[in-house]
Amino acid sequence: MNMIPNLGINFLGIELKNPVLTASGTFGYGYEAEDLIPLKKLGGIITKTITLHPRFGNPQPRIVEVESGLLNTIGLQNIGVMSFIDEPLDRLSKIGVPIIVSIAGNTEKEYREIAKILNMQNNSIISAVELNLSCPNLRKKPICHNLSLMQNIIKGVKKILKIPIIAKLSPLVADIPRLALAAQNVGANAVTLTNTYPAVAINVKNFTPKLSTINGGMSGSCIKPMSIYHVYNAYQRIKIPIVGCGGIMTGEDAIEFMLAGASVVSVGSASLVSPKNLIKIINEIEFILKCKSIKSIKEVIGIVNSKILK
Amino acid sequence: MNKKFDKNYKIISNVKVHGNYFELKIKAPITVKHCHPGQFFMLSIPNVFLRRPISIHNIKKNTIIFLYKVIGDGTRNLSKIKSGKIQLLGPLGNSYYDLNFVPSSQKINNKSCNFSPIIIAGGTGIVSLYFLAINLNTRGTIYYGVYSEKDLLCLEKFKKIGWKIIISTEDGSQGYKGYITDILHKDLRNDNTLFVCGPASMLKKVSQIAKEKNINGFASLEEKMACGIGNCQGCVVKVKGQNKRVCRDGTIFRIEDIDL
Ligand SMILES: Cc1cc2nc3c(=O)[nH]c(=O)nc-3n(C[C@H](O)[C@H](O)[C@H](O)COP(=O)(O)OP(=O)(O)OC[C@H]3O[C@@H](n4cnc5c(N)ncnc54)[C@H](O)[C@@H]3O)c2cc1C
Ligand SMILES: Cc1cc2nc3c(=O)[nH]c(=O)nc-3n(C[C@H](O)[C@H](O)[C@H](O)COP(=O)(O)O)c2cc1C
Ligand code: FES
């Protein structure tokens, strides 16, 4: 029991202290919780999705709690890429953990424009870019519903950026492994599985929808098994690493994603409940590995999947 | 930047005050020093996913006192905890101390208060405004609107500190029958400073009146919250045409700035 397991992982050439990243949109621009937890302990930070121009987001109500989770309709409120590189990025660079910037656009061109602006920054600040291809807010349908559009966006951004790019996919597609494969084929370096699940909640007291936009995205414990399903099935089809995401509340949940095939995980709703949960998850992963006498976190990636494949 | 904590505290008591209203007392020796009027905490409650925002009602020595109404699952589960520990995140949000008074530049906690405060409270909005009132070092008038007599809180407490109380109930069971904003109008002078907390419809009316009469004031807003610390943008409202997070940039804003 005295052995200290190695939680470090090389993800897309980035050295992470541990596999726990913050999920986009649930950790602000990255430093709002700096007085509550030691940000240095995180594996990495994925920032709020930024767009070319600032966005005001959706009207209230934007949040509603459901059984074991929540629905949100923030509407990609953000300060736009120019303001982002002015202040938040500078502050983020001082934290000392890898920074992954999440971006989204209405069109392929917008994705490229943002990539160009990010590309002009000091290369060492941004470790990777996550393409939010799954947000239902910008267009009527998530971009990843249109396979060729999604592929063009990845190709376009890939040509501009030298750093790795991660495609974040929506769970609302007929065949996630096929989509992930399509992303891989045009050069995505990793995929994040998955974003929130489309959902509706209605108030029976006054017969009105609980969110201003009626439709929202579901996150939290309630989506975990569905996201693990997507990770498990995609792992069998693709070679690029997977960022597992959806309902991770504990170290056990994180390991579950990794056993199914995720190389790293991103944690959203749990950190809204308490930013301390991020640190708790990291400590619990270490504890579980210790108990199982596993020397390195790398050993658990996909082992359930590989066993079954054999 | 105000200091905040995310930790477990010992519950001293959690008892029914009357009807659906409960008072929770927790022991928080260090945290109390950082608690100011207008601030709130996010309370971890068993068997619900998100934490629940509840205002600071009072601080007595090492004790933080909350006063809350049972509304749904969260507050119901909270009311059932009788002892042990509870995890709180806070104090959160700005306080009345953070806001600079214009035209008089004095801080709200100055010994000599030369403005005449008017508190306008709707429902549980009174909870946080009481903590303000006892820190004001001056007396004022409270306009207090509730649905029914049985929703009236803190009356004795306000009397004790010498405040004049004007009540309205929607069902007419006590005081004026109707909305508190119906009777507020005629009594206001422009040397008043308004402090208002309550439902959106009430804030809207009060801000209209304040604008018409050119009266200074502050409104404490409530929105659904997921994180309470500014990370999710769930609680955002328009203030002077800009997006502001109620939990972090507020909850208190200048009344003339809010766009309801
Ligand atoms: C800054 C702030 C301070 C507050 N202070 C107090 C207080 O001192 N005393 C008190 O009795 N109440 C207070 N409230 C309201 C209190 O937070 C809600 O009554 C409580 O969250 C209801 O939770 P529930 O699970 O019992 O009800 P449900 O209606 O089942 O809650 C469902 C969801 O809606 C949210 N919600 C419901 N009502 C409100 C509301 N009015 N404001 C914000 N979110 C809401 C809940 O947090 C939860 O996420 C405050 C709200 C805010 C935003
Ligand atoms: C309030 C909120 C805001 C979010 N904003 C974004 C966003 O801007 N970009 C994005 O890619 N995902 C966003 N997400 C999705 C999360 O990154 C994550 O994929 C999802 O919540 C599932 O993980 P979880 O169950 O751990 O929260 C948001 C989620 C929430 C709850
Ligand atoms: S509740 Fe999350 S930003 Fe205010």
Side-chain angles (χ1 to χ4, degrees):
Chain A
M1 276 298 272
N2 286 334
M3 168 214 51
I4 296 175
N6 181 5
L7 296 197
I9 198 152
N10 184 304
F11 172 66
L12 307 176
I14 315 160
E15 289 300 335
L16 306 183
K17 265 179 235 133
N18 61 66
V20 179
L21 310 169
T22 64
S24 177
T26 59
F27 208 62
Y29 292 107
Y31 45 76
E32 277 85 349
E34 66 191 352
D35 50 345
L36 288 170
I37 57 166
L39 298 178
K40 261 206 178 81
K41 292 215 163 142
L42 299 173
I45 292 173
I46 306 182
T47 65
K48 174 77 197 164
T49 298
I50 51 164
T51 50
L52 190 55
H53 304 294
R55 283 176 54 90
F56 274 118
N58 291 333
Q60 286 291 346
R62 291 179 169 190
I63 296 275
V64 53
E65 180 171 311
V66 294
E67 200 76 27
S68 304
L70 67 146
L71 314 188
N72 86 80
T73 179
I74 307 300
L76 278 196
Q77 180 194 322
N78 77 97
I79 55 178
V81 66
M82 292 315 282
S83 305
F84 173 75
I85 56 177
D86 254 8
E87 204 216 324
L89 191 58
D90 189 47
R91 278 181 76 175
L92 281 165
S93 66
K94 294 184 181 120
I95 296 171
V97 302
I99 302 300
I100 297 170
V101 177
S102 168
I103 67 172
N106 270 315
T107 57
E108 187 201 329
K109 186 160 172 262
E110 277 187 17
Y111 278 91
R112 279 192 274 116
E113 297 282 312
I114 304 168
K116 275 183 201 154
I117 295 167
L118 293 178
N119 203 36
M120 289 185 294
Q121 303 312 300
N122 180 347
N123 272 343
S124 60
I125 300 180
I126 308 173
S127 298
V129 161
E130 183 178 73
L131 302 179
N132 181 353
L133 301 165
S134 41
C135 189
N137 286 305
L138 281 178
R139 304 160 58 95
K140 287 231 164 57
K141 282 182 176 169
I143 280 179
C144 59
H145 278 192
N146 180 336
L147 205 70
S148 63
L149 176 62
M150 179 191 86
Q151 287 192 310
N152 287 339
I153 289 169
I154 296 172
K155 273 193 266 181
V157 172
K158 190 78 201 155
K159 270 191 205 136
I160 296 161
L161 292 173
K162 288 165 218 88
I163 51 180
I165 62 167
I166 306 163
K168 184 169 183 180
L169 305 180
S170 160
L172 194 75
V173 291
D175 189 350
I176 276 228
R178 182 166 158 257
L179 198 68
L181 193 61
Q184 172 184 294
N185 289 344
V186 289
N189 302 93
V191 287
T192 299
L193 302 177
T194 67
N195 208 315
T196 52
Y197 291 69
V200 170
I202 298 168
N203 190 337
V204 179
K205 278 187 203 139
N206 55 14
F207 287 16
T208 53
K210 288 188 175 176
L211 291 176
S212 65
T213 53
I214 306 173
N215 296 306
M218 182 159 71
S219 63
S221 317
C222 52
I223 69 170
K224 189 188 77 173
M226 297 187 284
S227 289
I228 294 179
Y229 167 86
H230 293 309
V231 169
Y232 180 82
N233 286 288
Y235 183 76
Q236 300 177 0
R237 298 269 295 277
I238 58 175
K239 293 200 173 65
I240 53 176
I242 299 169
V243 182
C245 178
I248 297 170
M249 305 298 294
T250 63
E252 202 168 311
D253 296 338
I255 301 253
E256 209 179 331
F257 268 92
M258 296 183 79
L259 290 171
S263 294
V264 295
V265 294
S266 63
V267 175
S269 303
S271 80
L272 295 181
V273 171
S274 168
K276 271 188 164 177
N277 282 336
L278 292 162
I279 306 299
K280 194 181 94 179
I281 290 168
I282 297 166
N283 293 339
E284 286 170 355
I285 293 174
E286 184 176 283
F287 182 75
I288 294 169
L289 294 189
K290 251 190 208 171
C291 292
K292 309 263 312 168
S293 302
I294 295 172
K295 287 198 196 75
S296 163
I297 187 74
K298 287 174 222 156
E299 292 170 39
V300 306
I301 299 168
I303 55 178
V304 168
N305 228 325
S306 326
K307 268 187 202 157
I308 289 162
L309 285 177
K310 273 176 206 161
Chain B
M1 186 68 188
N2 294 320
K3 196 160 172 54
K4 49 183 176 288
F5 307 85
D6 186 1
K7 60 180 195 181
N8 284 312
Y9 297 93
K10 189 175 178 314
I11 295 173
I12 298 168
S13 63
N14 184 22
V15 292
K16 189 186 271 197
V17 188
H18 72 87
N20 280 331
Y21 297 91
F22 286 74
E23 191 178 71
L24 167 68
K25 291 185 178 169
I26 60 145
K27 197 174 167 194
I30 297 161
T31 309
V32 285
K33 297 195 180 79
H34 302 272
C35 294
H36 303 298
Q39 291 189 293
F40 68 100
F41 280 81
M42 293 291 280
L43 281 64
S44 295
I45 298 170
N47 302 320
V48 291
F49 191 78
L50 297 170
R51 300 203 220 197
R52 297 294 189 263
I54 304 285
S55 305
I56 303 169
H57 176 51
N58 202 354
I59 301 283
K60 278 187 183 161
K61 289 193 185 135
N62 285 339
T63 307
I64 304 177
I65 304 170
F66 298 102
L67 182 58
Y68 62 94
K69 182 180 185 179
V70 171
I71 297 279
D73 286 347
T75 43
R76 189 174 312 111
N77 296 351
L78 175 63
S79 72
K80 287 183 185 146
I81 309 173
K82 289 300 163 217
S83 59
K85 299 217 155 168
I86 183 166
Q87 197 182 340
L88 304 187
L89 168 63
L92 302 171
N94 60 1
S95 84
Y96 292 97
Y97 294 168
D98 300 329
L99 296 146
N100 285 319
F101 267 75
V102 184
S104 85
S105 63
Q106 76 188 136
K107 284 262 174 165
I108 207 161
N109 53 340
N110 268 5
K111 284 277 177 277
S112 57
C113 241
N114 70 354
F115 59 90
S116 74
I118 302 255
I119 282 180
I120 305 149
T124 51
I126 193 151
V127 167
S128 61
L129 291 170
Y130 174 70
F131 190 35
L132 167 71
I134 54 173
N135 279 284
L136 274 178
N137 292 314
T138 183
R139 288 170 195 166
T141 307
I142 166 160
Y143 287 82
Y144 184 19
V146 291
Y147 179 72
S148 163
E149 190 176 34
K150 59 181 191 304
D151 297 308
L152 290 165
L153 296 169
C154 309
L155 294 185
E156 284 310 313
K157 293 182 195 170
F158 272 98
K159 268 185 211 148
K160 230 179 181 170
I161 55 171
W163 280 59
K164 185 176 166 199
I165 307 169
I166 295 166
I167 290 167
S168 78
T169 52
E170 283 174 50
D171 67 358
S173 50
Q174 199 176 128
Y176 171 81
K177 183 174 192 295
Y179 294 118
I180 198 71
T181 43
D182 302 344
I183 46 177
L184 173 70
H185 206 228
K186 53 184 187 303
D187 298 338
L188 296 181
R189 302 184 316 260
N190 58 12
D191 67 333
N192 288 138
T193 301
L194 308 183
F195 299 95
V196 37
C197 182
S201 54
M202 189 184 105
L203 295 185
K204 194 171 177 171
K205 195 80 222 276
V206 175
S207 85
Q208 273 168 7
I209 298 173
K211 276 173 200 162
E212 272 166 31
K213 298 203 162 198
N214 195 22
I215 304 173
N216 254 320
F218 300 93
S220 175
L221 306 190
E222 273 186 15
E223 278 304 339
K224 296 266 157 72
M225 293 181 177
C227 70
I229 57 168
N231 267 343
C232 71
Q233 322 281 358
C235 64
V236 162
V237 292
K238 284 261 174 348
V239 175
K240 271 186 164 173
Q242 301 273 318
N243 273 348
K244 295 284 174 193
R245 297 161 299 182
V246 169
C247 70
R248 185 137 182 162
D249 308 313
T251 59
I252 307 154
F253 299 97
R254 298 192 143 274
I255 209 161
E256 65 267 28
D257 293 343
I258 52 175
D259 313 327
L260 287 166

